[in-house]
Amino acid sequence: MARSAEAVPTPLEGVDVLLADLDGVVYAGPNALPYAVESINRAQLTVRVGYLTNNASRTDATVAAHLTDLGLTVSPDDVVTSPQAAMALLRDLVPAGSKVLVVGGDGLVDELQKAGFGVTRSADDDPAAVVQGFAPEVGWKDLAEASYALQARPGHDELPWVATNTDWTIPQARGIAPGNGTLVSAVHSAVGRLPVVAGKPERAIFDAAVARFGASSPLFIGDRLDTDILGANRAGIPAALVMTGIDRAKQVLAAAEELRPKYLLGDLRELFEPYPATQASTDKRSGDRLVSVGQAVVRIHQNRVAIERAGRRSIDLLRAGAAAIWGTGVPIYALEVDPGLYSES
């Protein structure tokens, strides 16, 4: 028997820990995104909420204070940072108490000191490793010191190099700005090798969060396919992409299999709404495939993906379009896609 509309589960059904990215999910720059704070506060009434951030420029305490100022109830222990994940990697790479050259800000320095490592900013201090994270004040001299330390030396093993994350961009109040990935790329260009990465899309930060919060059925919310969703998928955690940050409809429709989320959300209010099922059928007259979500219907005719009925909710149309395109097994560049499926309006 078909389930009634009231029986359709929400994305939060069965979840014990909600894990949220920060930039592009909770805030952009200093300001909260619409509906984010009230939605998370509502979720916190029934599930544990933790926060994951690749941004290495701030301490967990600073992040918690910022979130508290926005109207959330957060302690430093609720925040899992990429520098914390980086420390776990460093412990396996160099002896305890080793001196580490740091490229980054207070968040990275704080975690190094709490982990018992020595901190230097100079390659001349013969560091045992290099750890690199984003901070707005990082400049050419910092990148050069990392490059000097990491350059191959005859008779010496390669120096370990850990990057907190490799996000190419970071959302700010004024727009999208270069992220740590661009800074890591600059050092990579100079030394000819890549770092070990602690943050998303690698597993370390997700595994740290699951262990800290004792999650058995977590849900992760992110705004980026190539870091948030890919990382959650690698860690085996169901993921929701919220359309308030970096990636938009065009990127969703073109997403490769490993980048696809379980849920697509317009904003965080939809965590509490029944998540409509995707229905696929065949037009008996034409043989075309029809994919519907809610009142939105998308038609696939040969290599064309067209809007049959837009419906009332743009997020349902995107869900239907994504399911239709993903279900073809054909790369998006081989399809003719109706521009209405990815129009920002």
Side-chain angles (χ1 to χ4, degrees), residues 1 7 28 64 86 105 128 181 184 186 293 302 327:
M1 188 172 79
V184 169
V293 175
Q302 297 177 353

Side-chain angles (χ1 to χ4, degrees), residues 134 167-170 172 176-183:
F134 175 81
D167 293 5
W168 288 109
T169 56
I170 184 170
Q172 299 289 288
I176 304 301
N180 196 51
T182 62
L183 305 177

Side-chain angles (χ1 to χ4, degrees), residues 283-345:
D283 187 319
K284 293 181 180 179
R285 289 183 297 178
S286 65
D288 293 346
R289 184 166 177 257
L290 300 174
V291 178
S292 64
V293 175
Q295 295 181 339
V297 183
V298 171
R299 176 184 292 270
I300 302 174
H301 175 71
Q302 297 177 353
N303 72 328
R304 176 168 171 74
V305 184
I307 298 173
E308 180 81 0
R309 186 169 65 243
R312 293 184 299 177
R313 289 162 47 98
S314 60
I315 190 64
D316 284 345
L317 181 59
L318 177 59
R319 291 163 176 164
I325 291 171
W326 297 349
T328 65
V330 176
I332 195 169
Y333 57 76
L335 299 171
E336 184 183 346
V337 179
D338 190 325
L341 285 170
Y342 53 83
S343 171
E344 289 299 320
S345 61

